[in-house]
Amino acid sequence: MTVLDVRSLTKGFTMHHLGTQMGAFDDISFSLNAGEFLLLKGRNGAGKSTLLRTLYRSYLSQSGEVLFHSQHGVIDLARAADVDVTYLRRTEIGFVTQFLTARPRVSAEALVAEPLRLAGQTAEVALEQARHWLGAFGVKQELWAAYPTTFSGGEQQKVNLARTLILPQKLLLLDEPTASLDVAARAALVKRLAELKAQGTAMIGVFHHPGDVAELIDREIDLTPDAKPKEDREDVAI
Amino acid sequence: MMDAPKIVTTRPLLIARNVSKAYGDVQALSDVSATVYPGEVLGIVGESGSGKSTFLRSLNLEETPDTGSYTLDLPDVQGNLFDLDRYARRMLCATKIGIVYQNPHLGLLMKHSSSGNVAERLLVAGERRFSVLRDKARDALDASEFPLERMDAPPIELSGGMQQRVQLAKAIALEPALLLLDEPTTGLDVSVQALVLDTLKKLQQERKITMVIVSHDLGVIRTLSDRVMVMRRGKVVEQGLADQVFQDPQHAYTQQLVHAKL
């Protein structure tokens, strides 16, 4: 079952203050099925994170299509109305980054419970689940009710993972989620991802050390320019 | 240009089209259009003099633009609201639209009790029973996280942060369909700012109040908004999802604005 169908996606940036344009990636096409894990490879600056952000619509593409097979039918995320994208981000598409977006004076557990509450769970159930996942990712219990702004990078990242992985999604975008994690938290992350994958979540990920998730990877795309002529690549449909 | 919504089938609550307004030779607004869906938060950013507050005041029917239309999809509310007479405007604003100003002096009677300030809203809407007035005023102040033991103190005796909470309580007392916020945290110290932001976020999530918020503080806009509209010299230069406008600004002015943030 197809979840995502990306066709000839092209992204570049116009830097007005320099009067220049910079290409990020060009003519990317691939499709992704439910429960499939796609690894994006390429050297720094090859456009891996840019591709993830373009799929999530944090970046606007120049041309091409991002056809997402939502529960409500196929929708082109590159052109979808803002309200539809907001809705899908709340219900079907998750994005795990390396950074926590903490809000002033909001506790770790409230932050983690938020996606569940917004999806309609009662405050009690959401909080109980939030505590479960904070524990699972190894956040110390003393910190659950504290404000994450002052946490260490690793602790913040655990809160971030608990928050973004608490609600199973149809499509999950992962931007180096293991970067600042200790061994135990990395294991907890891989376990949770495997669980979501088995439930049918399709995933696209960027990892500094793909070895962390080796057992989950089904396919790879190399974004390094001229890594291999497109014609010779089986993973890229032309 | 993006597609029309396909998944979200509810009609927009607010549609403003081609709103223009000149003060003498100065074109404060030229062809400003905005669409806001129920439960959505639209943030408007721009430098001083960009027209963002004029646009917000137009949405509160305090300004009559030279041209343009403004509709709200609500029962018993029809047609271009800019065409309403003074009485109809006052009733609409008193019952369906709440506003919080940067300057509490604009929104509050500083020497009347805080609870009385909130109750005044309910009086305008026709409530006359004292106990109901008081209960509802208390509920609204509580939802705005105002310390209830001070509800009878006049705003002049309160701190800036508390005054903003009284304004907020007044604005939400009648459960308005639309909440307008004009620089609601500007001038407050950072810790109070964080508390007010937290209250607004709660109101947005728990009551699903539709909001339009104007601020020159990009952090405030980013924290609260689903979508962002960037204004300059009376025109909309860019609009889109909040993270997109901040991470991948398309217009030269927005890039300059985003890069200028600390």
Side-chain angles (χ1 to χ4, degrees), chain B residues 2-256:
Chain B
M2 295 301 167
D3 294 339
K6 286 180 185 155
I7 297 176
V8 175
T9 50
T10 43
R11 284 180 308 206
L13 170 71
L14 180 165
I15 300 176
R17 282 211 182 100
N18 304 106
V19 179
S20 296
K21 167 92 182 167
Y23 297 110
D25 293 341
V26 181
Q27 193 69 36
L29 296 175
S30 22
D31 273 338
V32 177
S33 297
T35 303
V36 188
Y37 286 81
E40 223 185 0
V41 179
L42 174 69
I44 306 180
V45 291
E47 61 203 7
S48 305
S50 60
K52 55 193 195 309
S53 291
T54 303
F55 183 61
L56 198 80
R57 285 202 305 274
S58 302
L59 297 180
N60 199 40
L61 299 174
E62 291 168 59
E63 301 275 356
T64 304
D66 305 327
T67 54
S69 70
Y70 170 29
T71 57
L72 286 177
D73 183 33
L74 293 171
D76 309 321
V77 178
Q78 271 116 29
N80 183 356
L81 303 182
F82 293 139
D83 294 339
L84 295 178
D85 61 30
R86 259 183 71 193
Y87 176 75
R89 283 182 182 212
R90 180 152 186 255
M91 280 317 287
L92 183 70
C93 292
T95 55
K96 310 277 201 241
I97 304 173
I99 188 160
V100 175
Y101 297 97
Q102 176 183 355
N103 183 350
H105 287 264
L106 285 175
L108 298 175
L109 296 165
M110 298 306 276
K111 292 183 177 172
H112 289 60
S113 72
S114 297
S115 52
N117 265 286
V118 180
E120 187 257 353
R121 265 264 150 153
L122 303 158
L123 277 166
V124 174
E127 183 56 62
R128 291 290 179 270
R129 291 162 296 175
F130 179 77
S131 62
V132 176
L133 285 171
R134 191 153 174 90
D135 284 352
K136 284 200 173 173
R138 179 187 285 120
D139 289 349
L141 284 163
D142 198 25
S144 306
E145 306 189 325
F146 181 89
L148 292 179
E149 66 277 9
R150 305 232 42 204
M151 68 185 272
D152 293 320
I156 195 136
E157 292 177 9
L158 301 170
S159 68
M162 285 301 138
Q163 290 174 353
Q164 288 310 65
R165 283 170 198 281
V166 179
Q167 276 209 80
L168 190 57
K170 184 179 169 185
I172 62 167
L174 285 167
E175 304 197 355
L178 178 64
L179 181 60
L180 305 172
L181 303 145
D182 191 4
E183 304 275 5
T185 59
T186 306
L188 302 176
D189 70 68
V190 284
S191 65
V192 178
Q193 198 174 50
L195 292 172
V196 173
L197 282 183
D198 190 35
T199 306
L200 288 172
K201 196 84 194 173
K202 271 190 197 142
L203 287 173
Q204 172 202 336
Q205 289 181 351
E206 285 161 17
R207 301 195 177 198
K208 310 262 184 278
I209 301 183
T210 310
M211 301 184 192
V212 179
I213 174 167
V214 160
S215 183
H216 64 254
D217 185 330
L218 301 186
V220 167
I221 293 292
R222 196 171 186 161
T223 305
L224 293 175
S225 312
D226 298 308
R227 271 192 310 127
V228 170
M229 185 161 115
V230 184
M231 289 185 67
R232 189 187 196 202
R233 295 179 187 161
K235 293 193 176 107
V236 178
V237 297
E238 179 165 355
Q239 55 179 318
L241 290 164
D243 55 323
Q244 182 258 300
V245 171
F246 286 116
Q247 290 182 37
D248 188 19
Q250 305 294 303
H251 192 277
Y253 174 68
T254 318
Q255 289 191 357
Q256 200 188 337

Side-chain angles (χ1 to χ4, degrees), chain A residues 115-154:
Chain A
L116 279 184
R117 282 198 297 110
L118 292 180
Q121 283 285 6
T122 62
E124 292 77 40
V125 174
L127 194 59
E128 190 187 314
Q129 282 290 312
R131 288 173 178 161
H132 167 77
W133 287 109
L134 283 168
F137 284 112
V139 179
K140 290 190 271 309
Q141 197 170 343
E142 303 92 281
L143 293 178
W144 294 356
Y147 304 133
T149 328
T150 52
F151 290 9
S152 73

